[in-house]
Amino acid sequence: EMVEQVPEVEERNQPAVRHARESRTGWASLQLRQSLSADLAEFAKSAERRKANRAPAAATISVVQKVTGIVLAGGQGRRMGGVDKGLQPFRGKPLAQWAIERFAPQVDELIINANQNASEYARFGHRVVPDELTGYAGPLAGLHAGLKAASGEFVATVPCDSPFLPTDLVERLQRGLGENDLAVAKTGSQAHPVFALARRAVLPHLETYLARGGRKIDDWYATLRVIEVAFDDEAEAFRNLNTLEELERE
């Protein structure tokens, strides 16, 4: 479960170390997470030095600090039979358009992360950026591309297949972020990791994780200072449509 403070990695992972020695794969994964945590410690020290050289910041994002929104539409759509999910029709519009129309008013600029049909996505009126990583590497590859293209100090992400996403998503994640690196929406006990707000300053840390072969969003989040923000009053807003049958049924 995600927590606000980065845990002491060695103390927390003592049982894991013993188990990992029985599994070469597990041991490699543990080494990666320990190494990343060390990188994060250095990242945090650097942030503290920068903070000491400027005026104290408010606990929440200032209204003058820009937020870039990223619509993640870079997947292969395997559960839809390999079609481009964001362009599938839903209630008279492409699926991604519903997410864009609800998300765009919440951010200062919007970027669409897409790895195919770029000209079709460009018709929505926003910049389109593909993954830099090859092979459809997942949402972290889309976040990486968006962070590199963003002009805002903060980046918010949503998936293209969630047409009912909250219209106050960014505002509430902003309020909850505080001094953390990243805020993630959750309903009940379920976190929704692709509905998130991150500081653009996490980009070097993400690049290190990806360069070492990491691809799992939950594993990367576990190396950051993450806070979960409750959206229990809008639980239905996080429904995503993964199959053509779901699109037709809705």
Side-chain angles (χ1 to χ4, degrees), residues 25-78:
T25 301
W27 178 243
S29 175
L30 178 62
Q31 288 181 310
L32 175 60
R33 290 187 61 170
Q34 290 178 323
S35 178
L36 285 167
S37 294
D39 290 342
L40 180 59
E42 180 58 34
F43 169 75
K45 289 178 184 177
S46 177
E48 289 300 319
R49 289 194 293 269
R50 292 194 301 271
K51 186 187 296 183
N53 293 326
R54 64 175 185 262
T60 55
I61 297 175
S62 166
V63 293
V64 300
Q65 293 177 305
K66 190 173 182 181
V67 179
T68 298
I70 304 171
V71 175
L72 299 171
Q76 291 180 286
R78 284 190 291 264

Side-chain angles (χ1 to χ4, degrees), residues 5 7 34 39 61 91 106 110-111 122 145 173 226 243 248:
Q5 300 298 323
Q34 290 178 323
D39 290 342
I61 297 175
R91 298 183 182 177
Q106 303 184 50
L110 190 140
I111 294 170
L173 292 176
V226 176
T243 66
E248 295 169 0

Side-chain angles (χ1 to χ4, degrees), residues 72-242:
L72 299 171
Q76 291 180 286
R78 284 190 291 264
R79 283 184 283 181
M80 283 196 178
V83 300
D84 194 335
K85 184 190 297 187
L87 299 179
Q88 299 312 298
F90 175 66
R91 298 183 182 177
K93 301 178 187 178
L95 182 59
Q97 186 174 342
W98 290 95
I100 291 167
E101 290 176 353
R102 294 177 73 86
F103 191 41
Q106 303 184 50
V107 296
D108 298 289
E109 70 169 343
L110 190 140
I111 294 170
I112 302 171
N113 165 241
N115 292 312
Q116 51 187 327
N117 300 310
S119 61
E120 294 296 315
Y121 281 105
R123 293 181 181 180
F124 297 127
H126 302 281
R127 186 157 46 126
V128 180
V129 298
D131 295 349
E132 287 193 3
L133 299 177
T134 59
Y136 295 92
L140 281 185
L143 174 60
H144 172 254
L147 284 167
K148 294 195 73 171
S151 62
E153 291 303 308
F154 298 86
V155 168
T157 61
V158 299
C160 70
D161 60 356
S162 296
F164 315 113
L165 66 90
T167 55
D168 60 352
L169 175 72
V170 175
E171 176 188 353
R172 292 171 68 169
L173 292 176
Q174 284 178 330
R175 290 202 306 264
L177 182 64
E179 296 298 322
N180 295 286
D181 301 312
L182 190 142
V184 177
K186 76 167 184 176
T187 54
S189 61
Q190 176 66 50
H192 303 283
V194 290
F195 292 89
L197 177 75
R199 299 180 187 277
R200 193 175 51 157
V202 302
L203 175 59
H205 186 58
L206 175 58
E207 289 187 318
T208 299
Y209 177 78
L210 294 171
R212 293 175 178 175
R215 294 294 183 268
K216 294 182 178 180
I217 193 167
D218 289 340
D219 286 353
W220 181 61
Y221 282 3
T223 69
L224 300 173
R225 297 172 298 176
V226 176
I227 189 164
E228 296 177 340
V229 179
F231 282 81
D232 293 347
D233 57 318
E234 297 188 76
E236 288 298 305
F238 294 91
R239 284 192 298 131
N240 58 344
L241 305 178
N242 287 310

